[in-house]
Amino acid sequence: MRNFDIFGHLKNVCVIKNGEVIFEYTRENEKGTLLFPIGCIFKSFLSVLAGIAIYEGKIGSIDDCVIDYISHEKIADMNWYRLKIKHALSKTTGITWPRPQEPLPINMREVMELKFESEPGVSFQYKPDPQIIVYLLEEIYGLGITELFHAKVISNFVNKDYKWDKDDIQGMEVSPFMLNELGQLMLNKGEINRKRLFSEEYYNQSICEYSCGGIPECTPYGLGWWIGKNLEIPYFFASGFGGQYLTIIPRKKMIIRIISDTDRPHPENKSIIEKALQL
């Protein structure tokens, strides 16, 4: 695990094994930087929040229908009666979302006006399905998603440095140490700092393959987590545009954190995970 300076786009790399940092690299101009953008890694935090809601009894299970928890009147598509929470978390809703240049629905009422291109649970598409979880959690808790995140997740972390604006939900910025704690929470199957946030059952559900996945990672997908395997060693990971990765390897009790420039995709960052798996 040397010479990472040849990857000029890398900002920060850290490998933790058995709770100890065994490798760390920080680009010179990033030393002292407190917060880093993590892109779609925020979806893995949403998965944690869903697990917390189930553990606290706010949601029965991932097999419950979304509309059981949402105030609604007119239903635009009968598939809403088939749409389960696990479909929203696993990006298999089948909903026809607005195109990238078009605005997203601003609330659940507008989401429920959307039509379906396929039956829920049939196919994976990298679309804004987790937005449904945002509105669902806000409805059942009566709190905005960023307030809920702070109350239910960050309050249990030692590292509390982050920036997250609901109006720019994909613009989450966090400290590297907060990603470490998210990784530790998953390694501990739902426990952090001697407190259980979600059940071991939900942990197992989260890293189960619900589809074969697709772009951008082209690996199977669970509930807010991508599923991988290398050298016959299974692992799972969160990813964000630009090659942001938080990878958890349970068998090795290892967490790999990679933060890099967001100028373009950086699939070459996966080679770091491959090298770390050999440690």
Side-chain angles (χ1 to χ4, degrees):
M1 298 287 292
R2 296 181 180 276
N3 299 322
F4 279 127
D5 53 335
I6 66 174
F7 291 83
H9 62 280
L10 287 176
K11 295 180 178 181
N12 179 274
V13 178
C14 182
V15 180
I16 300 170
K17 188 173 184 180
N18 295 316
E20 300 291 332
V21 174
I22 62 172
F23 176 84
E24 189 163 20
Y25 162 82
T26 302
R27 195 168 65 188
E28 190 64 33
N29 68 330
E30 297 295 345
K31 292 180 179 179
T33 300
L34 183 62
L35 302 179
F36 294 88
I38 58 170
C40 285
I41 287 180
F42 84 91
K43 297 172 184 176
S44 298
F45 278 114
L46 282 182
S47 178
V48 167
L49 277 170
I52 292 171
I54 292 171
Y55 189 67
E56 292 183 346
K58 295 289 187 178
I59 295 173
S61 78
I62 61 171
D63 289 305
D64 287 357
C65 290
V66 169
I67 62 171
D68 290 343
Y69 297 91
I70 298 294
S71 301
H72 62 278
E73 294 179 1
K74 184 180 178 180
I75 303 296
D77 193 306
M78 295 303 290
N79 276 306
W80 278 103
Y81 292 101
R82 303 184 183 94
L83 182 68
K84 297 181 178 181
I85 291 169
K86 67 182 179 183
H87 298 143
L89 285 166
S90 63
K91 294 181 180 287
T92 59
T93 67
I95 290 174
T96 304
W97 289 91
R99 289 175 291 186
Q101 65 272 24
E102 298 173 342
L104 286 174
I106 63 172
N107 53 41
M108 197 63 192
R109 180 185 61 79
E110 290 190 5
V111 174
M112 295 188 73
E113 292 174 357
L114 300 176
K115 299 295 183 67
F116 288 71
E117 56 188 87
S118 65
E119 185 177 326
V122 171
S123 63
F124 171 95
Q125 292 194 44
Y126 199 73
K127 291 188 176 181
D129 288 352
Q131 194 70 32
I132 292 173
I133 300 301
V134 171
Y135 298 140
L136 173 70
L137 292 170
E138 289 182 332
E139 175 103 1
I140 63 177
Y141 278 100
L143 290 172
I145 192 64
T146 54
E147 296 173 278
L148 188 60
F149 175 67
H150 190 89
K152 299 297 182 179
V153 179
I154 299 306
S155 63
N156 296 294
F157 282 15
V158 171
N159 302 282
K160 305 180 188 296
D161 295 315
Y162 75 100
K163 179 181 177 183
W164 198 23
D165 185 344
K166 184 181 176 180
D167 293 331
D168 181 20
I169 199 164
Q170 296 192 57
M172 177 184 269
E173 297 180 15
V174 304
S175 75
F177 307 106
M178 186 180 291
L179 289 182
N180 292 354
E181 290 199 74
L182 174 59
Q184 196 61 53
L185 174 65
M186 296 304 292
L187 265 186
N188 293 345
K189 302 181 180 181
E191 287 190 5
I192 190 75
N193 298 321
R194 299 183 179 179
K195 182 175 180 181
R196 177 161 292 281
L197 301 191
F198 55 85
S199 69
E200 188 169 336
E201 178 185 12
Y202 183 77
Y203 163 81
N204 290 323
Q205 292 171 336
S206 296
I207 60 172
C208 176
E209 298 180 9
Y210 286 85
S211 75
C212 60
I215 58 171
E217 296 299 334
C218 300
T219 66
Y221 198 71
L223 303 182
W225 297 90
W226 298 90
I227 315 298
K229 181 182 288 188
N230 186 277
L231 302 174
E232 296 305 309
I233 299 173
Y235 61 90
F236 57 95
F237 62 99
S239 74
F241 181 79
Q244 323 310 317
Y245 285 105
L246 178 66
T247 303
I248 296 95
I249 307 102
R251 185 182 299 177
K252 289 181 172 283
K253 297 183 179 179
M254 183 181 288
I255 300 166
I256 306 168
R257 182 189 76 224
I258 303 173
I259 301 173
S260 63
D261 290 335
T262 57
D263 55 331
R264 63 176 179 81
H266 287 289
E268 62 269 33
N269 289 1
K270 287 187 175 180
S271 66
I272 300 171
I273 299 171
E274 293 171 359
K275 290 182 179 180
L277 282 166
Q278 300 173 27
L279 296 177

